[in-house]
């Protein structure tokens, strides 16, 4: 056969419509029939077209009925077609072997491979899978033209029941391998053991590393009619050493027919994480080896883990001789074992009290109360220390405070340590935030400047509605308010800090200020193309092309004008955009149709479509070009319907021409 074969591709319905005969196809006879009836047009017995007939007489019959030059083959019988199909496949589609006792070898069956009368075969090979094996035959790696060879296959079942495999033949005359299904039935020997397990998997769950789990029992039964003898009982796999199997099942200890034995399985992980293995029991059982999957997870040895929160505590200013308000530190055991506490203490002038006791359970926490009692004026610092059996002991928290004399002021923010303004549009003012400043000391404080500093200090301000002001006298026990504003100058996180100065008074720590600038909503124009090219055929004009406008912004887009720089180009009225002005909501799209009036006689023309609107930049452009062509439109399929591109074997015109040529050859031969 050649690549110009006129056999068409057939639909699945056509293949299914042809009934398969019960005839046992003979590829040797098929070779003779192929030479007599087909080799005049098909000099090779395997091409992409002819291969469709391999083991498919229905495809060949349908080709005879639909290809005119094959009409002379309509007299071929169903048996003839089955033999030819088998020859094209070089084998029957399947071989079935008689029932064979497990471990025994069946009678062989033979497959014949034929070379065509004109072409030798090379790279001849045959592979067999399953309980089947190649047991002889005359086929080597090559086969001369007009000759045949044999491949002999035998069946040796390894277990009782239905067994299957495949004989796959390849050679230079085939475009794809020929698969031949192999099947047979294994029969248990008259006296043979059979192994059965009461479980195929054991999951031990979580187990602490280097400790042994509870036992799990596996029952092994012999359901055959002969004694079961073990040849090996082994644990294998990535974590084989983590599992053990002991008990009454052992090599050298047969299990009587109908009897059973038991194995005790245990898990002792040597490392953390998933640990898997498998238990394999090898024996003389007719159904082969038995396997059990083993799994478990190693967990780390339980340990305590101590942490303190917060990591530091500031008491601010406290009058010498007085005690501050108590502040709380939380001790947490986030480990997996109890935390043994040996000491909780704070360095003077700080003191600590607690009810944590001497032990804290895994996952639990307790509170430690810390007080500052300054013994002199000025800054003081120290640590709260917790000693325990946790790694990293002792754990500490930094403590700080300032002692002040009785006649001085103490300034404190009474209602905030940080101010978060949240989101605000760039250039707009967020809602103001009010802070209260109190003098908790015993003397009058003179307020200094309120200073905003930091990376984005200019975005924050002290509002004029504040009652606190520089140089203001704030008596002991008095208060004033400070109003803060936020107006972001850019999008994104914005931050700064607020500090206050004073004379004759201690001052509080700086207050963190934060807010987020959000960009104002704006439209944006997205185009489906930045340029359009038109080619006019020899007759007529180029077809219209569609351009899509999309509002990729966050606000309504308004397009006020669509302008063309060359009147040879035009905008159609069928697009969804309509005429300008055009309004598009955020995320919406619409289309315009662009046409060129040029013909094949026209020279190359260009133009620019300018879109004007309220998007960034105010305008956007699309480059347009048109060019004439002297080529006529392609009439694919010879003026009729076409199945392909007009040049392939599926084109009706090509099929008709091939049929006429074949008819002419037939007529000349007959004459």
């Amino acid at each position: 056969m050649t690549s110009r074969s006129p056999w068409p591709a057939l639909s699945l319905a056509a293949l299914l419509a042809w009934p398969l005969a019960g005839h046992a196809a003979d590829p040797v006879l098929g070779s003779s029939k192929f030479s007599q009836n087909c080799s005049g047009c098909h000099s090779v017995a395997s091409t992409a077209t002819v291969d469709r007939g391999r083991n498919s007489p229905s495809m060949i019959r349908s080709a005879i009925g639909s290809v005119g030059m094959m009409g002379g083959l309509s007299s071929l019988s169903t048996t003839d077609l089955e033999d030819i199909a088998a020859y094209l496949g070089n084998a029957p589609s399947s071989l079935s072997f008689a029932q064979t006792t497990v471990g025994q070898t069946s009678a062989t069956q033979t497959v014949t491979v034929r070379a065509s009368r004109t072409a030798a075969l090379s790279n001849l090979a045959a592979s067999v899978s399953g309980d089947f094996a190649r047991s002889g035959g005359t086929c080597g790696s090559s086969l001369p033209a007009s000759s045949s060879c044999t491949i002999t296959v035998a069946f040796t079942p390894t277990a009782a029941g239905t067994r299957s495999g495949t004989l796959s033949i390849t050679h230079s005359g085939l475009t794809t391998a020929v698969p031949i299904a192999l099947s047979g039935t294994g029969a248990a020997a008259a006296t043979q053991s059979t192994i059965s397990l009461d479980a195929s998997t054991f999951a031990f769950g979580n187990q602490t590393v280097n400790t042994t789990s509870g036992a799990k029992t596996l029952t092994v039964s012999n359901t055959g009619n002969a004694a079961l003898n073990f040849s090996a009982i082994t644990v294998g796999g990535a974590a084989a050493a983590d599992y053990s199997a002991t008990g009454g099942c052992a090599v050298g200890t047969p299990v009587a027919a109908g009897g059973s034995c038991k194995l005790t399985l245990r898990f002792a992980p040597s490392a953390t994480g998933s640990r898997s293995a498998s238990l394999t029991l090898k024996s003389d059982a007719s159904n082969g080896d038995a396997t059990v999957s083993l799994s478990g997870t190693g967990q780390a040895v339980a340990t305590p883990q101590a942490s303190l929160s917060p990591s530091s505590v500031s008491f601010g200013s406290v009058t010498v001789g007085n005690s501050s308000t108590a502040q709380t530190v939380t001790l947490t055991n986030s480990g997996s074992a109890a935390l043994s506490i040996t000491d909780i203490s704070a360095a003077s002038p700080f003191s600590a009290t607690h009810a944590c006791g001497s032990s804290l359970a895994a996952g639990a926490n307790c509170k430690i109360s810390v007080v500052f009692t300054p013994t002199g004026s000025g800054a003081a610092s120290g640590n709260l220390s917790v000693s325990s059996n946790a790694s990293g002991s002792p754990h500490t928290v930094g403590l700080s405070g300032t002692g002040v004399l009785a006649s001085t002021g103490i300034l404190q923010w009474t209602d905030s340590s940080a101010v978060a303004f949240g989101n605000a549009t760039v250039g707009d003012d967020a809602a103001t935030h009010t802070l209260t400043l109190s003098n908790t000391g015993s003397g009058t404080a003179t307020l200094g400047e309120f200073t905003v500093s930091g990376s984005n200090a200019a975005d924050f301000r002290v509002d004029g509605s504040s009652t606190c002001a520089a140089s203001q006298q704030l008596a002991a026990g008095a208060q004033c308010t400070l109003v803060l504003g936020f107006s972001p100058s850019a999008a994104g996180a914005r931050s700064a800090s607020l500090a206050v100065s004073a004379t004759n008074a201690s001052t509080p720590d700086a207050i963190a200020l934060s807010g987020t600038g959000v960009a104002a909503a704006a439209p944006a124009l997205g185009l489906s193309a930045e340029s359009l090219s038109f080619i006019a055929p020899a007759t007529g004009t180029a077809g219209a092309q569609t351009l899509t406008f999309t509002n990729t912004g966050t606000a309504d887009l308004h397009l006020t004008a669509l302008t063309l720089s060359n009147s040879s180009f035009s905008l159609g009225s069928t697009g969804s955009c309509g005429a300008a002005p055009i309004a598009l909501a955020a995320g919406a799209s619409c289309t315009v149709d662009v046409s060129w009036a040029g013909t094949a006689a026209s020279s190359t023309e260009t133009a620019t479509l300018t879109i004007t609107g309220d998007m960034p930049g105010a305008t956007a452009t699309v480059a347009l070009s048109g060019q004439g062509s002297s080529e006529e439109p392609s009439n694919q399929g010879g003026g009729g319907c076409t199945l392909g591109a007009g040049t392939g074997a599926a084109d009706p015109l090509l099929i008709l021409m091939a049929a006429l040529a074949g008819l002419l050859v037939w007529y000349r031969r007959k004459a």
Side-chain angles (χ1 to χ4, degrees):
M1 289 171 283
T2 69
S3 59
R4 294 182 177 271
S5 169
W7 292 13
L10 298 179
S11 68
L12 179 60
L15 291 175
L16 296 178
W18 182 258
L20 295 176
H23 169 70
D26 187 339
V28 178
L29 292 178
S31 173
S32 176
K33 292 184 179 68
F34 182 87
S35 297
Q36 295 168 5
N37 297 280
C38 306
S39 60
C41 296
H42 303 286
S43 60
V44 180
S46 180
T47 66
T49 301
V50 175
D51 280 353
R52 293 195 291 258
R54 294 192 326 195
N55 298 317
S56 180
S58 60
M59 197 289 298
I60 301 174
R61 175 67 72 187
S62 181
I64 291 172
S66 60
V67 179
M69 65 183 296
M70 296 179 67
L73 304 180
S74 60
S75 61
L76 290 176
S77 68
T78 299
T79 298
D80 293 336
L81 296 183
E82 290 176 348
D83 291 342
I84 292 174
Y87 164 65
L88 294 179
N90 274 295
S93 59
S94 64
L95 293 177
S96 178
F97 290 79
Q99 180 172 289
T100 304
T101 302
V102 172
Q104 302 297 314
T105 300
S106 71
T108 61
Q109 294 203 48
T110 300
V111 173
T112 300
V113 179
R114 297 276 308 189
S116 72
R117 66 177 183 175
T118 58
L121 300 181
S122 60
N123 299 322
L124 177 58
S127 60
V128 186
S129 65
D131 288 355
F132 304 84
R134 184 175 177 180
S135 61
T138 62
C139 288
S141 61
S142 62
L143 186 63
S146 297
S147 63
S148 64
C149 65
T150 59
I151 298 171
T152 303
V153 181
F155 172 44
T156 306
T158 59
T162 301
R163 315 297 288 172
S164 60
T166 301
L167 166 61
S168 182
I169 300 174
T170 58
H171 56 67
S172 59
L174 296 173
T175 56
T176 57
V178 176
I180 302 172
L182 307 177
S183 63
T185 302
T191 56
Q192 205 164 23
S193 60
T194 303
I195 192 169
S196 174
L197 307 179
D198 67 344
S200 59
T201 61
F202 281 106
F204 286 85
N206 297 328
Q207 185 69 31
T208 302
V209 171
N210 296 325
T211 65
T212 303
S213 71
K216 291 183 180 289
T217 300
L218 172 69
T219 300
V220 182
S221 301
N222 178 6
T223 58
N225 51 16
L228 173 68
N229 295 283
F230 297 106
S231 57
I233 299 176
T234 58
V235 178
D242 291 2
Y243 296 89
S244 63
T246 59
C249 302
V251 176
T253 304
V255 179
S260 64
C261 62
K262 295 183 183 297
L263 283 174
T264 299
L265 306 178
R266 290 184 172 84
F267 173 46
S270 58
T272 59
S274 177
R275 313 291 290 170
S276 60
S278 61
L279 170 67
T280 302
L281 296 92
K282 293 182 175 294
S283 68
D284 59 0
S286 61
N287 55 338
D289 298 340
T291 302
V292 178
S293 297
L294 308 175
S295 64
T297 302
Q299 288 192 326
V301 176
T303 58
Q305 185 174 346
S307 62
L308 294 169
S309 179
S311 58
S312 64
V313 175
S314 176
F315 289 88
S317 299
V318 178
T319 302
V320 173
N322 292 337
S323 294
S324 69
T325 301
Q327 296 205 45
T328 299
V329 174
T330 301
L331 170 63
T332 301
N333 177 10
S334 56
S336 55
L339 177 71
S340 296
I341 302 171
T342 56
D343 180 66
I344 298 178
S345 60
S348 179
F350 305 93
S351 60
T353 58
H354 65 88
C356 294
S358 60
S359 180
L360 188 62
N365 62 69
C366 61
K367 307 295 184 183
I368 302 171
S369 181
V370 185
V371 173
F372 171 43
T373 306
T375 57
S377 61
S381 62
N383 288 318
L384 168 67
S385 178
V386 177
S387 299
S388 68
N389 64 336
S391 175
S393 177
H395 295 81
T396 61
V397 171
L399 307 175
S400 63
T402 302
V404 295
L405 300 176
S407 59
T408 60
I410 301 174
L411 297 180
Q412 292 183 341
W413 299 111
T414 59
D415 55 356
S416 181
S417 60
V419 175
F421 284 91
N423 295 335
T425 302
V426 173
D428 291 345
D429 282 331
T432 58
H433 193 95
T434 301
L435 299 176
T436 300
L437 182 65
S438 300
N439 182 359
T440 61
S442 57
T444 298
T446 301
L447 303 183
E449 296 293 333
F450 293 90
T451 305
V452 178
S453 60
S455 302
N456 311 117
D459 289 6
F460 301 87
R461 70 179 186 280
V462 176
D463 196 77
S465 59
S466 302
T467 60
C468 296
S471 302
Q472 177 181 350
Q473 299 291 316
L474 195 61
Q479 297 178 334
C480 65
T481 59
L482 192 73
V483 181
L484 300 175
F486 172 52
S487 180
S489 59
R494 317 296 287 172
S495 62
S497 62
L498 169 69
V500 59
S501 62
T503 57
N504 195 41
S506 62
T507 56
D509 294 336
I511 292 179
L513 308 179
S514 64
T516 301
V518 179
L525 175 62
L527 298 173
S528 61
E530 296 181 355
S531 63
L532 298 176
S533 297
F534 298 83
I535 299 178
T539 58
T541 59
Q545 296 190 44
T546 299
L547 182 65
T548 302
F549 298 156
T550 302
N551 182 358
T552 60
T554 56
D556 289 350
L557 171 64
H558 301 88
L559 304 179
T560 56
L562 306 178
T563 307
L564 288 165
S565 63
N566 186 333
S567 61
S568 291
F569 296 85
S570 60
L571 301 179
S573 60
T574 59
S576 60
C577 290
I582 301 167
L584 285 176
S589 298
C590 70
T591 60
V592 296
D593 295 330
V594 184
S595 300
W596 178 49
T599 65
S602 301
S603 60
T604 299
E605 291 189 286
T606 61
T608 300
L609 170 62
T610 302
I611 304 102
T612 306
D614 58 358
M615 64 281 194
T619 61
T621 60
V622 177
L624 308 177
S625 64
Q627 182 177 358
S629 172
S630 61
E631 296 183 3
E632 291 291 345
S634 174
N635 185 8
Q636 299 178 350
C641 297
T642 180
L643 302 178
T647 59
D651 193 293
L653 179 57
L654 183 57
I655 293 174
L656 177 59
M657 293 175 65
L660 292 174
L663 182 60
L664 179 59
V665 171
W666 172 82
Y667 177 78
R668 287 182 176 178
R669 287 186 177 180
K670 185 175 181 181

